Short mmCIF file of all heavy atoms in Angstrom, two decimals:
data_model
loop_
_atom_site.label_atom_id
_atom_site.label_comp_id
_atom_site.label_asym_id
_atom_site.label_seq_id
_atom_site.Cartn_x
_atom_site.Cartn_y
_atom_site.Cartn_z
N ARG A 195 -10.05 121.95 23.68
CA ARG A 195 -10.05 120.61 24.16
C ARG A 195 -8.54 120.06 24.05
O ARG A 195 -8.11 119.30 24.94
CB ARG A 195 -10.95 119.71 23.39
CG ARG A 195 -12.45 119.88 23.82
CD ARG A 195 -13.35 119.27 22.95
NE ARG A 195 -13.12 117.83 22.78
CZ ARG A 195 -13.54 117.12 21.74
NH1 ARG A 195 -14.15 117.68 20.82
NH2 ARG A 195 -13.31 115.86 21.61
N ILE A 196 -7.86 120.45 23.10
CA ILE A 196 -6.48 119.99 22.92
C ILE A 196 -5.59 120.66 23.97
O ILE A 196 -4.75 120.07 24.53
CB ILE A 196 -5.99 120.27 21.48
CG1 ILE A 196 -6.69 119.35 20.47
CG2 ILE A 196 -4.51 119.99 21.31
CD1 ILE A 196 -6.52 119.66 19.00
N ALA A 197 -5.87 121.96 24.18
CA ALA A 197 -4.96 122.72 25.13
C ALA A 197 -5.03 122.25 26.56
O ALA A 197 -4.15 122.18 27.27
CB ALA A 197 -5.39 124.17 25.05
N VAL A 198 -6.30 121.65 26.93
CA VAL A 198 -6.49 121.29 28.40
C VAL A 198 -6.10 119.80 28.63
O VAL A 198 -6.23 119.43 29.79
CB VAL A 198 -7.99 121.56 28.81
CG1 VAL A 198 -8.23 122.95 28.79
CG2 VAL A 198 -8.91 120.73 28.01
N ARG A 199 -5.68 119.13 27.53
CA ARG A 199 -5.30 117.68 27.78
C ARG A 199 -4.14 117.55 28.71
O ARG A 199 -3.24 118.49 28.70
CB ARG A 199 -5.08 117.02 26.51
CG ARG A 199 -3.75 117.45 25.99
CD ARG A 199 -3.55 117.05 24.48
NE ARG A 199 -2.64 118.00 23.92
CZ ARG A 199 -1.75 117.68 23.00
NH1 ARG A 199 -1.69 116.56 22.55
NH2 ARG A 199 -0.99 118.67 22.53
N PRO A 200 -4.07 116.53 29.51
CA PRO A 200 -2.92 116.32 30.35
C PRO A 200 -1.75 116.12 29.47
O PRO A 200 -1.79 115.46 28.46
CB PRO A 200 -3.26 115.09 31.08
CG PRO A 200 -4.42 114.46 30.63
CD PRO A 200 -5.16 115.48 29.70
N GLN A 201 -0.53 116.65 29.87
CA GLN A 201 0.62 116.68 28.98
C GLN A 201 1.78 115.82 29.46
O GLN A 201 2.82 115.91 28.84
CB GLN A 201 1.17 118.14 28.88
CG GLN A 201 0.17 119.09 28.14
CD GLN A 201 0.51 119.08 26.64
OE1 GLN A 201 1.75 118.99 26.23
NE2 GLN A 201 -0.43 119.16 25.88
N PRO A 202 1.61 114.90 30.40
CA PRO A 202 2.87 114.22 30.85
C PRO A 202 3.52 113.48 29.70
O PRO A 202 4.77 113.49 29.69
CB PRO A 202 2.37 113.26 31.92
CG PRO A 202 0.90 113.12 31.69
CD PRO A 202 0.45 114.41 31.11
N GLU A 203 2.84 112.85 28.78
CA GLU A 203 3.53 112.05 27.81
C GLU A 203 4.31 112.92 26.81
O GLU A 203 5.29 112.55 26.30
CB GLU A 203 2.49 111.24 26.99
CG GLU A 203 1.71 110.17 27.86
CD GLU A 203 0.56 110.73 28.53
OE1 GLU A 203 0.11 111.87 28.13
OE2 GLU A 203 0.15 110.15 29.42
N LYS A 204 3.74 114.13 26.64
CA LYS A 204 4.41 115.01 25.66
C LYS A 204 5.75 115.61 26.21
O LYS A 204 6.54 116.16 25.48
CB LYS A 204 3.49 116.15 25.30
CG LYS A 204 2.26 115.65 24.61
CD LYS A 204 2.54 115.13 23.23
CE LYS A 204 2.67 116.28 22.22
NZ LYS A 204 2.92 115.80 20.84
N THR A 205 5.99 115.57 27.43
CA THR A 205 7.13 116.14 28.05
C THR A 205 8.20 115.11 28.42
O THR A 205 9.24 115.43 28.98
CB THR A 205 6.83 116.97 29.24
OG1 THR A 205 6.08 116.17 30.19
CG2 THR A 205 5.97 118.21 28.95
N LYS A 206 7.92 113.85 28.18
CA LYS A 206 8.99 112.83 28.46
C LYS A 206 9.63 112.50 27.18
O LYS A 206 9.01 112.50 26.08
CB LYS A 206 8.23 111.50 28.93
CG LYS A 206 7.62 111.60 30.33
CD LYS A 206 7.01 110.28 30.66
CE LYS A 206 6.21 110.35 32.01
NZ LYS A 206 5.34 109.17 32.17
N PRO A 207 10.99 112.24 27.26
CA PRO A 207 11.61 111.85 26.07
C PRO A 207 11.08 110.47 25.53
O PRO A 207 10.87 109.61 26.29
CB PRO A 207 13.09 111.72 26.50
CG PRO A 207 13.14 112.00 27.95
CD PRO A 207 11.75 112.23 28.46
N SER A 208 10.95 110.44 24.23
CA SER A 208 10.36 109.19 23.68
C SER A 208 11.21 107.97 23.87
O SER A 208 10.70 106.87 23.83
CB SER A 208 10.01 109.40 22.23
OG SER A 208 11.15 109.69 21.53
N ARG A 209 12.55 108.17 24.08
CA ARG A 209 13.50 107.01 24.23
C ARG A 209 13.20 106.30 25.52
O ARG A 209 13.44 105.13 25.65
CB ARG A 209 14.98 107.40 24.15
CG ARG A 209 15.33 108.39 25.32
CD ARG A 209 16.83 108.72 25.15
NE ARG A 209 17.05 109.96 25.86
CZ ARG A 209 17.28 110.07 27.13
NH1 ARG A 209 17.10 109.07 27.91
NH2 ARG A 209 17.49 111.26 27.67
N SER A 210 12.58 106.98 26.53
CA SER A 210 12.32 106.32 27.71
C SER A 210 10.84 105.80 27.77
O SER A 210 10.55 104.89 28.52
CB SER A 210 12.51 107.23 28.92
OG SER A 210 11.68 108.37 28.86
N THR A 211 9.97 106.40 27.05
CA THR A 211 8.51 106.01 27.20
C THR A 211 7.95 105.42 25.91
O THR A 211 7.17 104.56 25.89
CB THR A 211 7.74 107.23 27.59
OG1 THR A 211 7.73 108.16 26.57
CG2 THR A 211 8.18 107.78 28.86
N ALA A 212 8.39 106.02 24.80
CA ALA A 212 7.85 105.56 23.47
C ALA A 212 6.38 105.62 23.44
O ALA A 212 5.66 104.60 23.08
CB ALA A 212 8.40 104.19 23.09
N HIS A 213 5.85 106.68 24.04
CA HIS A 213 4.41 106.83 24.18
C HIS A 213 3.75 105.80 25.03
O HIS A 213 2.56 105.44 24.86
CB HIS A 213 3.67 106.84 22.83
CG HIS A 213 4.30 107.90 21.92
ND1 HIS A 213 4.19 109.20 22.11
CD2 HIS A 213 4.97 107.76 20.78
CE1 HIS A 213 4.75 109.91 21.23
NE2 HIS A 213 5.29 109.03 20.34
N ALA A 214 4.51 105.31 25.96
CA ALA A 214 3.89 104.20 26.78
C ALA A 214 2.69 104.72 27.61
O ALA A 214 1.72 104.02 27.79
CB ALA A 214 4.98 103.75 27.74
N GLY A 215 2.72 105.97 27.90
CA GLY A 215 1.59 106.61 28.74
C GLY A 215 0.37 106.59 27.87
O GLY A 215 -0.71 106.05 28.30
N ALA A 216 0.51 106.89 26.59
CA ALA A 216 -0.61 106.84 25.72
C ALA A 216 -1.21 105.41 25.45
O ALA A 216 -2.38 105.14 25.45
CB ALA A 216 -0.33 107.42 24.34
N MET A 217 -0.16 104.48 25.41
CA MET A 217 -0.59 103.07 25.19
C MET A 217 -1.27 102.45 26.43
O MET A 217 -2.15 101.59 26.28
CB MET A 217 0.71 102.31 24.95
CG MET A 217 1.47 102.66 23.69
SD MET A 217 0.55 102.23 22.16
CE MET A 217 0.85 100.43 22.21
N GLN A 218 -0.86 102.93 27.58
CA GLN A 218 -1.46 102.31 28.82
C GLN A 218 -2.81 102.90 29.12
O GLN A 218 -3.61 102.24 29.83
CB GLN A 218 -0.52 102.62 30.02
CG GLN A 218 0.72 101.76 30.01
CD GLN A 218 1.82 102.31 30.85
OE1 GLN A 218 1.64 103.29 31.55
NE2 GLN A 218 2.95 101.60 30.90
N ARG A 219 -3.04 104.09 28.55
CA ARG A 219 -4.42 104.66 28.88
C ARG A 219 -5.50 103.88 28.12
O ARG A 219 -5.51 103.87 26.87
CB ARG A 219 -4.49 106.16 28.39
CG ARG A 219 -5.76 106.80 28.84
CD ARG A 219 -5.82 108.25 28.25
NE ARG A 219 -4.74 108.97 28.41
CZ ARG A 219 -3.71 109.26 27.52
NH1 ARG A 219 -3.95 108.77 26.34
NH2 ARG A 219 -2.76 109.98 27.92
N SER A 220 -6.40 103.25 28.81
CA SER A 220 -7.39 102.48 28.09
C SER A 220 -8.40 103.44 27.42
O SER A 220 -8.87 104.42 28.06
CB SER A 220 -8.22 101.59 29.12
OG SER A 220 -9.38 101.09 28.51
N PRO A 221 -8.64 103.24 26.09
CA PRO A 221 -9.63 104.03 25.41
C PRO A 221 -11.06 103.64 25.86
O PRO A 221 -12.03 104.39 25.53
CB PRO A 221 -9.42 103.62 23.97
CG PRO A 221 -8.83 102.27 23.99
CD PRO A 221 -8.08 102.23 25.21
#
Side-chain angles (χ1 to χ4, degrees):
Chain A
R195 282 169 57 202
I196 292 171
V198 299
R199 70 193 154 145
Q201 290 268 326
E203 295 83 19
K204 297 291 280 185
T205 53
K206 289 178 189 169
S208 56
R209 62 182 157 78
S210 62
T211 63
H213 304 294
M217 298 289 288
Q218 285 163 3
R219 186 188 310 105
S220 166

